[in-house]
Amino acid sequence: MNGGSGRCLCGEIRYAFDGAPNWQVHCHCESCRRATASPFTSFLGVSRDKVRWSGKARASYASSPGVTRSFCPTCGTPLAYESAARAHEIDLYAATLDQPSSFRPERHVHWNEHLPWISLADRLPVHYTPRRLTGEEAMEPILNLVRAAFAYMDGVVDPPSSVHRLTETGIAGAAREGEVWVLEELGRPLACLFLTPKPGRLYIGKLAVAESHRRKGLARQLLAHAESRARDLGLPALEMQSRVELTGNHAAFEAMGFVRAGETAHEGYTRPTSFTFRKAVSDRAP
């Protein structure tokens, strides 16, 4: 799509934009569903300075802090979503395009909020919105997720993984004293990671993905979120550790921009037992 135009149902408001959209997605969040009375909403993001409006003035509604949704005051057609967090662009509704067949969705976002009676076979990648645990939730599902994800280390790493000492109480404490984030689908945890702010860095621990959802980019999504949290906290680097035996993990971390920055030994061992990996946090979000 290289430019386009669209209108509301009654035609009293029109828009046009130049150039290709910045992105094109299907959104499954509850607020967009309610705003459009549809099971999911299809958006294209366009740089604000490339959009032109004509006809009647749009009406608007502040649906949440920093978010404004505009619509036609005559026919009620939703027309645009604007966020203070992304002041440089405006999100247009794909179904209002004069040629909606030109829309080319790239992925599903807020998939963790999708309706259970929606079944899609487009094979597009899905993006989940992480949820931060408060420490008051039942932690058994998170404990089971971590234990299952780390089970492959048994008999491989020496000394045994600290996951064997992890408890529900310990996870609740980690959520209160640091941060525990989880990706969920229909209430089931699919992936998680623990974050601990330290001087000059944000430490990542217990990155775990359910076996049923591996190779779907969930670890990358959580690590991208960790980078966002580091920016919010003013910390210039991410840090994690991996046992020396887990060479496959080392390669995966390096492919995601981490570099080996040191080594440590567990108490009682004269050889390195873990490698430290670090990644510089960019000043701006991608």
Side-chain angles (χ1 to χ4, degrees):
M1 185 190 307
N2 188 17
S5 61
R7 64 175 178 83
C8 64
L9 176 61
C10 69
E12 291 189 356
I13 300 178
R14 294 195 59 85
Y15 63 82
F17 62 91
D18 302 316
N22 299 335
W23 45 261
Q24 303 177 68
V25 303
H26 297 304
C27 179
H28 294 262
C29 79
E30 180 185 1
S31 59
C32 283
R33 294 201 313 265
R34 291 190 179 279
T36 60
S38 59
F40 60 91
T41 303
S42 302
F43 283 118
L44 53 148
V46 179
S47 296
R48 185 179 295 276
D49 59 1
K50 295 182 179 180
V51 181
R52 303 180 302 279
W53 296 92
S54 60
K56 180 179 287 190
R58 291 172 288 153
S60 64
Y61 170 65
S63 59
S64 57
V67 171
T68 300
R69 298 175 186 271
S70 58
F71 56 93
C72 174
T74 301
C75 63
T77 301
L79 290 166
Y81 172 102
E82 299 172 70
S83 168
R86 292 184 291 107
H88 65 288
E89 65 185 1
I90 185 167
D91 306 351
L92 303 173
Y93 292 83
T96 65
L97 288 167
D98 288 328
Q99 296 184 11
S101 59
S102 64
F103 179 67
R104 295 289 184 271
E106 302 156 354
R107 62 189 182 277
H108 296 271
V109 298
H110 299 294
W111 184 251
N112 46 295
E113 298 183 53
H114 83 279
L115 294 170
W117 42 267
I118 290 292
S119 179
L120 302 172
D122 55 20
R123 298 186 180 180
L124 290 173
V126 299
H127 187 277
Y128 298 81
T129 302
R131 180 173 72 90
R132 183 176 178 177
L133 302 185
T134 66
E136 305 304 317
E137 302 89 346
M139 295 300 178
E140 183 180 7
I142 306 300
L143 179 60
N144 292 340
L145 169 66
V146 174
R147 283 178 173 171
F150 281 62
Y152 76 99
M153 297 184 187
D154 292 345
V156 175
V157 301
D158 180 37
S161 170
S162 61
V163 73
H164 294 290
R165 301 191 299 275
L166 188 64
T167 65
E168 295 176 44
T169 301
I171 297 174
R176 297 189 190 102
E177 297 166 16
E179 300 183 8
V180 176
W181 293 86
V182 60
L183 302 182
E184 301 167 301
E185 184 170 316
L186 304 179
R188 172 195 170 202
L190 303 178
C192 70
L193 89 168
F194 296 12
L195 298 178
T196 305
K198 295 187 176 184
R201 64 205 191 277
L202 183 61
Y203 184 79
I204 299 169
K206 300 298 183 290
L207 175 61
V209 179
E211 185 175 4
S212 60
H213 282 70
R214 290 176 187 166
R215 301 185 182 278
K216 295 186 177 182
L218 272 63
R220 282 184 178 272
Q221 290 181 31
L222 281 174
L223 290 174
H225 182 67
E227 191 165 354
S228 175
R229 289 297 301 138
R231 276 192 295 272
D232 292 343
L233 296 169
L235 297 173
L238 299 178
E239 180 181 277
M240 63 170 63
Q241 289 190 319
S242 180
R243 294 300 189 86
V244 296
E245 299 93 343
L246 304 179
T247 56
N249 287 2
H250 306 165
F253 298 152
E254 289 169 348
M256 290 186 281
F258 286 81
V259 296
R260 192 180 301 182
E263 55 188 40
T264 57
H266 283 74
E267 184 177 357
Y269 286 76
T270 57
R271 60 168 178 84
T273 54
S274 295
F275 292 135
T276 299
F277 289 85
R278 286 199 181 125
K279 179 181 181 181
V281 173
S282 61
D283 294 333
R284 302 172 69 179

